[in-house]
Amino acid sequence: MIKNLSKKYVLVLIAAFSFFTLSIFNVKSVNSASLNGYIYKHNIKPAKITEDIWSKFPKYKYSGGKPKGVVIHETANPHSSIYSEIAYMKKYWRNAFVHSFVDDNRIINIANTNYLSWGVGYPGNARFIQFEQIEVHSKKAFAKEVNNSAYYTAYLLHKYNLPAVSAENTGKGTVWSHKSVAKHLGGSNHTDPIGYYKSNGKKFFGKAYTMSEFFSLVKHYYNKHSNKTTTNNSNGNNSSSNSSNSDVNQGNSNPVEDKAISSNSSNVVNGVTYNDGSGKDVAKLSYNYSKYGIYNHVKNAGYKTTSYKWKKLGVKAEQLVYVNNRAVHNKNHSVWYRIKFANNSNAKTYWVPEKALTFNSVQYSNSSESMTFNGIESKLYDNIPNSSHLSNEKMSNYSLLGHAVNTVQKATVKDINGNQSTWYKVSIDGHNYWANANSFSNN
């Protein structure tokens, strides 16, 4: 009896010890098997960032001037390589493009991150830097790719002086999956890279990898470098100031005033406000242009002024001129324009009073319609092109395809050649832009 009890006692002890040992082993296995744990254990280093900027990508500023976060994508193509994906994107960039691509060995930046890309629709395109992950097919490759992605995300946050905040659950933060953008902001119905992380996590590490774990890895790199000088600060702040000048509909007994959207560059010197245009605006010399002077600078603007003779310049009424700056005397409110007679950088510039020129005729009216952007490529401007306010391109409608916007104002434009068009001022992310009616599917 005693012997039997002793045997049972020994067996119980052995079983208990085995269970305890196995439990410890299992805990260690789980920890070592987690993707992040695997990265730390094997001291996996991130790849170097390679810049291979393609010059043909468009350059449109983010809403507010600089990015507000980073979106992580996944290509959903199990048979592609990083170079084939880049080649494909360069070919079909008008449909969609991102800033960078990441795989297990490379981080390749192909589009300038100071300018937006379009991979998540509106409004995310105008807010976030975006990069794609290539599908990889081994445990080590997957760990290296995720590590590269987390490192690159942290690098971008530092570059643009952004905090590291996950937006996955709240829709408020700087680190986004494509799924979180679609869920919280709209613009698409994609869910990447959630499925890719889940399936590869289960396949190689025994459990689904999550965006929460990815963000933990981002924070690891973000905190690791938080005490170092950031690689580069964004210089994309919008320094525009509001213009107090307006056009008035002369053909309406109840004119609607248009307060011009400010240009990117506004500077006040000696009581004169100067606003740069893009240099692409054109006007014509008026019929009686010769009644007005032409000078090397705005008269009474604090500079020594030299006048020229129109006849010696060999010009005539209704001749096309190129206009690149607008100046307004803050006291007497006289308006002046800087012009060139040839469209090249070396052409001599002159200043003339507004009555020496004829711009597009614009009649404004109130509007509160809902319009949807179509697939026809067009530009959005701060002011109507070739109007007296001068204009600057702000963005392309490619980042807004299929998105509905509310109109703020409508303009009927008769250009200097007699052609008529319709434009709408629309509100996007709290900013107003002018777009041609051909940009919308409602027309």
Side-chain angles (χ1 to χ4, degrees), residues 146-213:
V146 170
N147 188 55
N148 287 341
S149 296
Y151 168 78
Y152 187 49
T153 301
Y155 161 82
L156 291 170
L157 296 177
H158 273 295
K159 178 177 180 178
Y160 291 96
N161 196 28
L162 296 169
V165 181
S166 174
E168 200 65 21
N169 296 321
T170 64
K172 296 180 180 179
T174 56
V175 181
W176 299 70
S177 67
H178 194 167
K179 181 179 180 179
S180 62
V181 174
K183 176 183 177 181
H184 298 294
L185 301 179
S188 76
N189 59 1
H190 290 205
T191 60
D192 56 296
I194 306 303
Y196 176 62
Y197 280 3
K198 181 179 180 180
S199 62
N200 267 16
K202 285 184 175 180
K203 183 189 299 184
F204 301 126
F205 295 93
K207 66 172 186 174
Y209 191 65
T210 67
M211 281 300 294
S212 176
E213 291 173 291

Side-chain angles (χ1 to χ4, degrees), residues 90-351:
K90 287 180 179 179
K91 187 175 182 180
Y92 296 104
W93 66 267
R94 288 180 174 83
N95 297 325
F97 75 96
V98 295
H99 294 97
S100 305
F101 285 84
V102 176
D103 67 5
D104 52 328
N105 293 315
R106 290 162 287 265
I107 304 170
I108 303 178
N109 174 215
I110 63 170
N112 192 330
T113 54
N114 287 334
Y115 304 98
L116 62 81
S117 64
W118 42 78
V120 292
Y122 175 88
N125 288 339
R127 298 182 184 182
F128 306 125
I129 299 169
Q130 305 179 53
F131 70 85
E132 289 273 6
Q133 296 167 109
I134 310 302
E135 289 201 0
V136 295
H137 309 287
S138 72
K139 181 176 184 177
K140 186 175 182 180
F142 183 54
K144 289 175 67 179
E145 177 180 60
V146 170
N147 188 55
N148 287 341
S149 296
Y151 168 78
Y152 187 49
T153 301
Y155 161 82
L156 291 170
L157 296 177
H158 273 295
K159 178 177 180 178
Y160 291 96
N161 196 28
L162 296 169
V165 181
S166 174
E168 200 65 21
N169 296 321
T170 64
K172 296 180 180 179
T174 56
V175 181
W176 299 70
S177 67
H178 194 167
K179 181 179 180 179
S180 62
V181 174
K183 176 183 177 181
H184 298 294
L185 301 179
S188 76
N189 59 1
H190 290 205
T191 60
D192 56 296
I194 306 303
Y196 176 62
Y197 280 3
K198 181 179 180 180
S199 62
N200 267 16
K202 285 184 175 180
K203 183 189 299 184
F204 301 126
F205 295 93
K207 66 172 186 174
Y209 191 65
T210 67
M211 281 300 294
S212 176
E213 291 173 291
F214 176 78
F215 180 71
S216 176
L217 195 57
V218 172
K219 284 284 288 184
H220 164 74
Y221 281 113
Y222 186 87
N223 293 335
K224 187 175 182 180
H225 298 286
S226 61
N227 293 326
K228 296 181 180 180
T229 303
T230 56
T231 306
N232 183 27
N233 289 322
S234 168
N235 58 359
N237 294 329
N238 189 337
S239 59
S240 63
S241 61
N242 292 328
S243 171
S244 61
N245 305 298
S246 61
D247 285 340
V248 177
N249 174 3
Q250 300 294 337
N252 193 324
S253 58
N254 295 303
V256 176
E257 185 179 56
D258 174 62
K259 293 183 177 179
I261 305 168
S262 61
S263 298
N264 268 348
S265 177
S266 182
N267 191 27
V268 180
V269 180
N270 297 330
V272 178
T273 300
Y274 299 89
N275 283 95
D276 284 334
S278 64
K280 297 179 181 179
D281 291 294
V282 295
K284 284 184 176 180
L285 293 178
S286 62
Y287 284 110
N288 56 353
Y289 73 93
S290 59
K291 291 175 58 177
Y292 306 98
I294 179 167
Y295 307 90
N296 67 322
H297 208 283
V298 178
K299 286 188 69 177
N300 303 316
Y303 298 93
K304 182 179 179 181
T305 306
T306 301
S307 62
Y308 303 94
K309 300 293 183 181
W310 284 106
K311 289 183 179 180
K312 291 185 177 182
L313 297 175
V315 297
K316 57 184 179 180
E318 293 197 297
Q319 178 172 324
L320 193 70
V321 297
Y322 303 89
V323 190
N324 57 27
N325 202 296
R326 183 178 192 262
V328 181
H329 271 286
N330 294 344
K331 288 187 177 180
N332 63 25
H333 305 296
S334 64
V335 181
W336 293 71
Y337 293 96
R338 187 170 64 194
I339 66 171
K340 299 190 296 184
F341 296 113
N343 188 24
N344 64 68
S345 59
N346 296 323
K348 185 176 178 63
T349 59
Y350 304 90
W351 284 90

Side-chain angles (χ1 to χ4, degrees), residues 409-430:
Q409 204 166 27
K410 180 179 179 180
T412 301
V413 180
K414 187 175 182 180
D415 70 23
I416 53 179
N417 296 315
N419 301 311
Q420 188 165 300
S421 62
T422 302
W423 290 72
Y424 289 95
K425 184 192 287 185
V426 297
S427 179
I428 302 172
D429 282 346

Side-chain angles (χ1 to χ4, degrees), residues 51-117:
E51 285 199 354
D52 188 14
I53 306 299
W54 193 51
S55 62
K56 293 185 180 180
F57 285 126
K59 295 180 180 179
Y60 298 109
K61 289 188 175 181
Y62 295 94
S63 174
K66 78 169 190 174
K68 298 176 178 64
V70 182
V71 177
I72 294 87
H73 292 267
E74 179 266 318
T75 62
N77 186 345
H79 307 296
S80 65
S81 69
I82 194 168
Y83 295 112
S84 65
E85 288 287 349
I86 291 173
Y88 182 87
M89 189 152 286
K90 287 180 179 179
K91 187 175 182 180
Y92 296 104
W93 66 267
R94 288 180 174 83
N95 297 325
F97 75 96
V98 295
H99 294 97
S100 305
F101 285 84
V102 176
D103 67 5
D104 52 328
N105 293 315
R106 290 162 287 265
I107 304 170
I108 303 178
N109 174 215
I110 63 170
N112 192 330
T113 54
N114 287 334
Y115 304 98
L116 62 81
S117 64

